[in-house]
Amino acid sequence: MSEKLRLMAVHAHPDDESSKGAATMAKYVAEGHEVMVVTCTGGERGDILNPAMDRPEVTADIAGVRRAEMAKAAEILGVEHRWLGFVDSGLPEGDPLPPLPEGCFALVPLEESVPPLVKAIREFRPHVVITYDENGGYPHPDHIRCHEVSIAAFDAAGEPDLHPEAGEPWQPLKLYYSHGFSRARLVAIHEALLERGLESPYAEWLENWPAERGDLAHRVTSRVECAEYFEVRDAALLAHATQIDPNSRWFAVPLDLQRTVWPYEEYELVRSLVDSTLPEDDLFSGLREKAAL
């Protein structure tokens, strides 16, 4: 395998790439590898979560604002970026839940939503693909659909008889799920904050953690040490100004504590066409040693 490897992270909305695996991507970019973020939707139905951005002119052009935010975050992370062009489904709320909007990403049939990602894979030729688990990381309809589309595209991209219009076949060699919010991580940081005499932003979250939810920590196979890039991650998050309040709990934990207590980002290896010994500390494990493709 040549020294320069390629990683693709597939996300549902702009800002997801900065809250899930951003430091890992920044690390690999710094090492000279190529990284692409694929964003399935434009985030058009996302709420404005930063009070400072809740202004009429922002609301009137939320799609354009979020595109600009994504461009800034991609520049900060040093990644290539590609839109798949689907429309945000929104997060349905209520009991019973209302129907999803017509034409939204979660309702587009897979035979229509998979080929654009197959095309992106065949053009970028990633060795590694990262996406969400079967629950979407959390049960947003777009996250679940992103998982389904990513799995189908990973399997189809290397098949010459499938989607021939999408370009020459290319088979990625490893597929990961991102696991960024394990209970074990929250507990470790929560306890470290209390030991320092600091207030924890996770107290209520942990207190109300549903017993049936358990913890995904047991599924983690791969931990990438990337604490050196936490500042880059935070800068990319702040680029999504409509979604990230700089006074929120995202930034309540001192970086030095994060680097000491939990200096890595975590993943689950779910498909591999190369030999790789688990647990891993490198998403390119098993690839660096192979002959160039």
Side-chain angles (χ1 to χ4, degrees), residues 6 11 48 72 75 85 94 126 128 135 215 232 251 267 289 291:
R6 294 180 296 277
H11 289 284
I48 296 178
K72 184 176 180 181
E75 182 180 3
V128 172
N135 295 311
D215 192 0
V232 180
F251 308 104
Y267 303 88
E289 302 81 6

Side-chain angles (χ1 to χ4, degrees), residues 4 44 58 108 118 154-155 191 193 207 222 273:
K4 180 174 286 191
E44 301 89 347
V58 174
V108 173
V118 170
F154 183 92
D155 291 338
E191 292 179 347
L193 285 166
E207 185 178 341
S222 314
L273 302 180

Side-chain angles (χ1 to χ4, degrees), residues 4-271:
K4 180 174 286 191
L5 296 163
R6 294 180 296 277
L7 180 148
M8 174 182 283
V10 186
H11 289 284
H13 310 106
D15 83 90
D16 288 329
E17 84 295 329
S18 296
S19 61
K20 304 167 186 65
T24 298
M25 293 191 292
K27 172 188 172 77
Y28 285 134
V29 168
E31 290 180 0
H33 302 298
E34 296 179 10
V35 178
M36 174 180 280
V37 169
V38 175
T39 308
C40 295
T41 80
E44 301 89 347
R45 291 191 169 95
D47 295 329
I48 296 178
L49 303 176
N50 177 3
M53 292 294 289
D54 193 1
R55 307 192 303 266
E57 69 273 18
V58 174
T59 303
D61 186 29
I62 188 64
V65 170
R66 296 202 70 181
R67 291 183 74 86
E69 291 174 346
M70 183 66 239
K72 184 176 180 181
E75 182 180 3
I76 291 167
L77 293 172
V79 303
E80 298 180 45
H81 180 254
R82 183 162 179 155
W83 299 99
L84 282 199
F86 296 102
V87 177
D88 188 352
S89 303
L91 182 60
E93 295 179 310
D95 186 13
L97 291 174
L100 292 172
E102 183 178 351
C104 70
F105 178 52
L107 294 182
V108 173
L110 288 176
E111 55 264 30
E112 296 179 25
S113 53
V114 171
L117 183 55
V118 170
K119 181 176 175 64
I121 290 173
R122 288 177 177 175
E123 291 180 353
F124 183 64
R125 295 158 59 94
H127 304 98
V128 172
V129 174
I130 304 172
T131 190
Y132 311 137
D133 68 12
E134 64 280 2
N135 295 311
Y138 80 107
H140 188 297
D142 284 338
H143 283 240
I144 294 170
R145 197 53 149 184
C146 179
H147 161 82
E148 295 167 346
V149 169
S150 299
I151 297 299
F154 183 92
D155 291 338
E159 296 291 338
D161 295 335
L162 296 177
H163 312 296
E165 76 288 350
E168 291 297 316
W170 174 264
Q171 180 58 61
L173 298 177
K174 300 177 83 175
L175 175 68
Y176 289 90
Y177 296 157
S178 176
H179 290 307
F181 300 100
S182 70
R183 189 176 191 279
R185 174 179 175 270
L186 298 185
V187 168
I189 294 175
H190 171 77
E191 292 179 347
L193 285 166
L194 297 183
E195 288 174 6
R196 286 194 182 190
L198 300 174
E199 184 178 355
S200 170
Y202 303 135
E204 184 178 355
W205 192 354
L206 289 170
E207 185 178 341
N208 296 319
W209 192 280
E212 65 273 12
R213 182 175 176 183
D215 192 0
L216 295 175
H218 68 282
R219 293 176 53 170
V220 169
T221 62
S222 314
R223 285 178 163 177
V224 178
E225 288 205 19
C226 50
E228 183 180 350
Y229 300 94
F230 284 176
E231 286 183 331
V232 180
R233 172 203 66 193
D234 287 358
L237 272 169
L238 288 168
H240 293 283
T242 59
Q243 304 302 299
I244 304 296
D245 183 347
N247 299 311
S248 69
R249 67 182 176 191
W250 280 111
F251 308 104
V253 181
L255 281 177
D256 69 301
L257 185 148
Q258 294 183 49
R259 292 187 176 111
T260 300
V261 175
W262 211 268
Y264 31 71
E265 292 177 334
E266 298 179 304
Y267 303 88
E268 176 185 358
L269 178 62
V270 289
R271 307 264 181 94

